[in-house]
Amino acid sequence: MTEQITPEIVAQHGLKPDEYQRILEHLGRVPTLTELGVFSVMWSEHCSYKSSRVHLKTFPTSGPRVLQGPGENAGVVDLGDGLAAAFKMESHNHPSYIEPYQGAATGVGGILRDVFTMGARPIASLNALRFGDPSHPRTAYLLEGVVAGIGGYGNCMGVPTVGGEVAFHPSYNGNCLVNAFTLGILPADKIFRGTAAGVGNPVMYVGAKTGRDGIHGATMASAEFDASTEEKRPTVQVGDPFMEKLLLEACLELFQTDAVVGIQDMGAAGLTSSSVEMAGRGGNGLDLFLDKVPLREEGMTPYEILLSESQERMLLVAAEGKEELVRSICEKWDLDVAVIGRVTASGRWRAHWRGEVVADLPVDPLTEGAPKYHRPMTPHPALPALHAFDPATLPEPADLGAALLRLLARPTIASKEWVYRQYDHMVRLVGAVRPGGDAAVVRLAVSHDKHAHKGIALSVGVNGRFCFLDPYLGAMHAVAECARNIACVGGEPIAITDCLNFGNPEKPEIMWQFAECVRGIGDACRAFGTPVVSGNVSLYNETEGQGILPTPTVGMVGLVEPVERTCHSTFRDAGDVIALVGSLQGEVGGSEYLSAEHGEEAGRPPALDLAREKAVQETVRRAVRAGLLSSAHDCSEGGLAVALAESCMMHEVPADGSKPGWIGCAVRIPFPVRKDFVLFGEDASRILVSLPKENAARFVELAQACGAPVIRLGAVGGDRLEIQGALSVPVEELARAWRDGIPAVLRRDAAHAGAAAPA
């Protein structure tokens, strides 16, 4: 604690020389090492958003349903009838790359705490995952570890993981992405916030004991990786889902009392960030007595106690005189509990240790006074040449059926059954639409009460390749596709959260990508009436100078009412009419097809007409609610041909080994341009539907009323996917390629390991 502050010590804490100079100006003196550690985490990108705040302020964040927007642990929206939903998405990218199981597990634990801190019981989780090239030697290891960590933590908590997405691209070879989303339900009039209000109120520590795990995790997550990445393993937290389950139940019981004034998860930067942020929101000061903190390791210093990111911990401001009530409930659930501080009127954050003040800092410079950067921005220099690329110069595949099979086997497109089978999506019996389709649907209640007919639709997604080629348009596509997925199950989009994953913001082209993506998300959200109510920024996703594709993941929530009137993605009955709501343009810029067949990632993403998009979605949403459709499936990666194939064979394979419900179809597609472009182009604003013949006329009238084009393609039936004049492939063959895509990645790794094993 008395170590001299040198330029090397400052640099080790992730602070630039000019930032250290600002600290000196704020304090009027040299900080102690403990105080420097506090500034380092509070001014990290992970906690302060110093490169992104100026752009995030442009988001639409209010609306008639918004009860709590950004700035709290999670956003909250009104669902009607006295119910509200709290939800948020967070990243745990850097820890998951270093130690995939614990990194992913503690990411799930952290987002669960963010949600139940608001007073909500978590009812559903999703995730958005990005891994490197399937042939990269680390990809299978990360995939297996991350999925096991998500399943291990979520399953133990009894919160179903009901959906998500998984994609692969070489840009993630050195930085996998693990974005975790959770939604919970709470009374609309009983929202809890992370505020240190009421001078004199006790500050209480609740949960697991504090150890040395995760120290400087926030700082590590705010820097690039290099050859020494493995040395950062001690900065990764270790999770205990059984302890978190106790913490969840104790907090929900506390919320039924009048004892809780404010509550905050001890997440990134642990006790430091939770106490500083609570003081900042309350406009008050805070005194902490660190020798009262429950510890699990001997000899811990104030520096370590303050910066530890040990999991399953909460900081709670209780009403004065209610300490024993809080203590009794926490001890009932076998949790550590202690009064470790007081709210003050000083405007200062002070830490005491064995009778001495070891940190005495003004609150404002740690929160609102943190640096805000308007970093230089310039478009990526490679874009002009990429935009000038003409896909018409490429040869058309001789066998379109074989090309489709290759696309279906691509891990980004292939079945994610291997992943979601490791998650318990049936616990609590809330699922109305199981994983594997366009959007998950969860019930808000299973009993026969006034909420039993309400459901929530959930979707996450983004196309990083689109966002690289045109960040503004690519980000708009992310919002539009999530809304389209929700329309496919009959849902009305109401709000979003986001997880903005980018490279080094000190590079002008990366900062430009970020700003353009924020602008695109904001404009699309204004068009759909879906305000941004929570979110997360993850920067410095680079290893040895190689950054990821810009990946602004969007998580959208929609209301499904009545929940009994929803829809699945798969064809159901022979004889049903197949139609496309939307048009055929054959836009292949940035498509999975160009990458897979020709090794090209160029062109411009498909055009997006938001008025057309809204008309297509409204048509399908109203048709689902009217009970007109047998299936509805978004056309996205791989285009119309992949959507047709998936609709034929997306039925789950029964566990008893009986024949799956696969069914073929025969369609005739008008080809305004090259066949491969029409089949595999990723044109926007298209939904593939099937419906009984007797509903066809009503459906066309509905589409006309909404202003959406409809193309009749053919009919469901048979055991092949027949596209007249283009391809004919047995559904069983399609399913074999599609279901084997991700297992093949794991087999490739096993074969590599076997070849490398000593004789």
Side-chain angles (χ1 to χ4, degrees), residues 455-532:
I456 291 287
L458 307 168
S459 178
V460 294
V462 66
N463 186 317
R465 196 180 290 118
F466 284 3
C467 290
F468 178 80
L469 292 171
D470 188 328
Y472 174 75
L473 181 56
M476 293 182 77
H477 271 289
V479 177
E481 184 176 350
C482 283
R484 200 180 314 133
N485 289 337
I486 285 174
C488 286
V489 296
E492 180 79 42
I494 56 178
I496 78 157
T497 182
D498 59 49
C499 208
L500 308 178
N501 309 275
F502 290 81
N504 184 345
E506 297 169 52
K507 296 180 178 178
E509 65 272 21
I510 303 298
M511 202 64 237
W512 176 79
Q513 290 174 344
F514 182 90
E516 285 294 282
C517 284
V518 167
R519 187 168 70 92
I521 290 173
D523 284 353
C525 284
R526 277 181 277 271
F528 289 108
T530 54
V532 183

Side-chain angles (χ1 to χ4, degrees), residues 482-491 493 616-618 620-621 624 632 687:
C482 283
R484 200 180 314 133
N485 289 337
I486 285 174
C488 286
V489 296
V616 167
Q617 292 182 23
E618 183 64 16
V620 173
R621 177 167 42 251
V624 171
I687 298 176

